[in-house]
Amino acid sequence: MTQKWGMTIPFYDRSLARSRELIAQLPGLGYTDAWSAEVNGVDGFTPLALAAQWAPGIRLGSAIVPVSTRGPGLLAMSAATLADLAPERFVLGIGASSPAIVERWNAGTFAKPYARTRDTLRFLKRALAGEKVSEAYETFEVKGFRLERAPKAPPKIVLAALRPGMLRLAAAEADGAITNWLSPQDVRRVRAEIGPGTELIARLFVCVSEDAAQVREMARRMLAGYLTVPVYAAFHDWLGRGETLRPMHEAWAAGDRQAALKAIPDEVVDDLVVHGDAATCRARIQQYVDNGLDTPVLAPIPGGEVSIDQAVRDLAPQA
């Protein structure tokens, strides 16, 4: 299907401690990658540090670590640690994140997200190469930072990117782009912005279930939580869903959460969430790949009649 086939860790239905056995099975099932996330559950680095030992040989990536919730030096230290634990198979994914995560939850400042991401990328490339960095960037200044032990092989750095500006930055200065909440058809538009030579990674939410009504009800709650965030609203405006999603946004702004959920059309849910039996899901994932996605990172979500353990096995490229 594709040379890369990723899985999100840890799994939605269990803690990181309880994920060890299933993570250890991933390489044998044909998964090439394991990618963490960082919102309000586990941090972005600890699962990868453990997976480096639990699943030797698998590529590890963060999708994504926010650039405004850690200082630049600490971010470099964390990345260097993972690069030492998993030489040449750790990929550092960074991104702007959102005002809620940066400001409301972490007491940071969400300002100039594009510039902060660009500046952090430029700093990290130098710091992880072992340079001593003293520079005033547009959004922060670093004076005399050097890693005590720089990794022998600096990790690749990929950027969370939803719209043309960040996508082009990822293509020009990073090693790849990470995106989210898009359809197979949307992949073509994203790919057009970054060109053919840049790795494109996307997390795909998958529910192995033939109960479409139940999946849509569950998925609407997830979609409303994401698509009302300004960066995702702008992303889907750019993708052409602005008018379709307007009733949802209006209901959400009015404080009517139930009306907002009901306003999300079935076709939007079916566009953005992979569901059906396992064969249907794998075929849908293949459509993403056929349209230009290099690395699908599956995120099996509970709610169907198939357990997460079984879904991980059924969605594997060797299934």
Side-chain angles (χ1 to χ4, degrees):
M1 299 174 83
T2 177
Q3 288 188 328
K4 297 186 177 72
W5 200 258
M7 178 57 62
T8 298
I9 61 168
F11 305 97
Y12 280 97
D13 65 339
R14 70 200 68 186
S15 67
L16 176 58
R18 292 183 55 242
S19 294
R20 177 174 183 168
E21 183 178 354
L22 193 50
I23 289 173
Q25 294 176 27
L26 295 178
L29 291 170
Y31 290 98
T32 61
D33 289 44
W35 289 76
S36 65
E38 187 170 280
V39 183
N40 61 345
V42 295
D43 70 278
F45 291 110
T46 304
L48 304 181
L50 292 170
Q53 309 305 311
W54 294 346
I58 205 167
R59 189 172 73 149
L60 307 167
S62 58
I64 52 90
V65 173
V67 297
S68 299
T69 55
R70 294 173 177 81
L74 178 57
L75 191 50
M77 289 187 285
S78 298
T81 302
L82 259 298
D84 180 58
L85 289 172
E88 298 188 22
R89 58 188 182 96
F90 167 59
V91 180
L92 174 62
I94 58 173
S97 191
S98 70
I101 292 173
V102 174
E103 296 184 336
R104 287 162 44 194
W105 299 351
N106 287 285
T109 300
F110 189 79
K112 298 183 177 179
Y114 173 88
R116 179 63 185 248
T117 303
R118 178 202 63 208
D119 294 347
T120 303
L121 170 65
R122 292 174 178 176
F123 163 77
L124 287 169
K125 288 171 72 173
R126 294 181 60 190
L128 291 168
E131 294 184 31
K132 183 176 182 179
V133 183
S134 293
E135 186 157 341
Y137 298 91
E138 180 182 344
T139 56
F140 59 83
E141 183 174 3
V142 175
K143 298 179 180 179
F145 177 84
R146 174 179 281 162
L147 284 167
E148 180 179 295
R149 182 175 288 106
K152 293 181 180 179
K156 291 184 177 181
I157 304 175
V158 296
L159 299 185
L162 298 177
R163 287 182 291 159
M166 200 73 83
L167 287 165
R168 291 168 189 164
L169 176 64
E173 299 191 33
D175 297 297
I178 304 170
T179 190
N180 197 5
W181 289 117
L182 78 172
S183 73
Q185 292 71 32
D186 296 332
V187 170
R188 294 179 178 177
R189 185 158 192 186
V190 173
R191 172 58 70 186
E193 295 294 334
I194 63 174
T198 299
E199 182 178 1
L200 181 59
I201 303 151
R203 177 167 282 116
L204 307 180
F205 294 92
V206 185
C207 189
V208 182
S209 172
E210 296 182 66
D211 188 339
Q214 182 182 4
V215 172
R216 288 170 183 150
E217 181 181 359
M218 175 271 300
R220 280 186 171 90
R221 293 193 292 272
M222 296 179 65
L223 287 168
Y226 270 92
L227 301 188
T228 53
V229 175
V231 292
Y232 280 100
F235 179 43
H236 284 273
D237 282 346
W238 177 63
L239 291 173
R241 294 192 181 90
E243 288 303 313
T244 301
L245 293 173
R246 185 181 300 278
M248 179 202 69
H249 288 297
E250 290 176 348
W252 191 271
D256 192 338
R257 299 296 189 254
Q258 290 303 312
L261 295 179
K262 292 178 181 177
I264 303 173
D266 285 352
E267 58 266 27
V268 171
V269 178
D270 296 344
D271 266 356
L272 304 181
V273 176
V274 177
H275 63 95
D277 62 24
T280 298
C281 289
R282 285 200 305 273
R284 181 72 167 173
I285 295 163
Q286 184 62 41
Q287 290 178 14
Y288 284 88
V289 174
D290 293 342
N291 286 347
L293 181 63
D294 296 302
T295 307
V297 178
L298 312 187
I301 50 181
E305 59 274 14
V306 177
S307 69
I308 294 292
D309 294 74
Q310 189 62 47
V312 170
R313 291 190 287 269
D314 288 348
L315 294 169
Q318 294 183 6

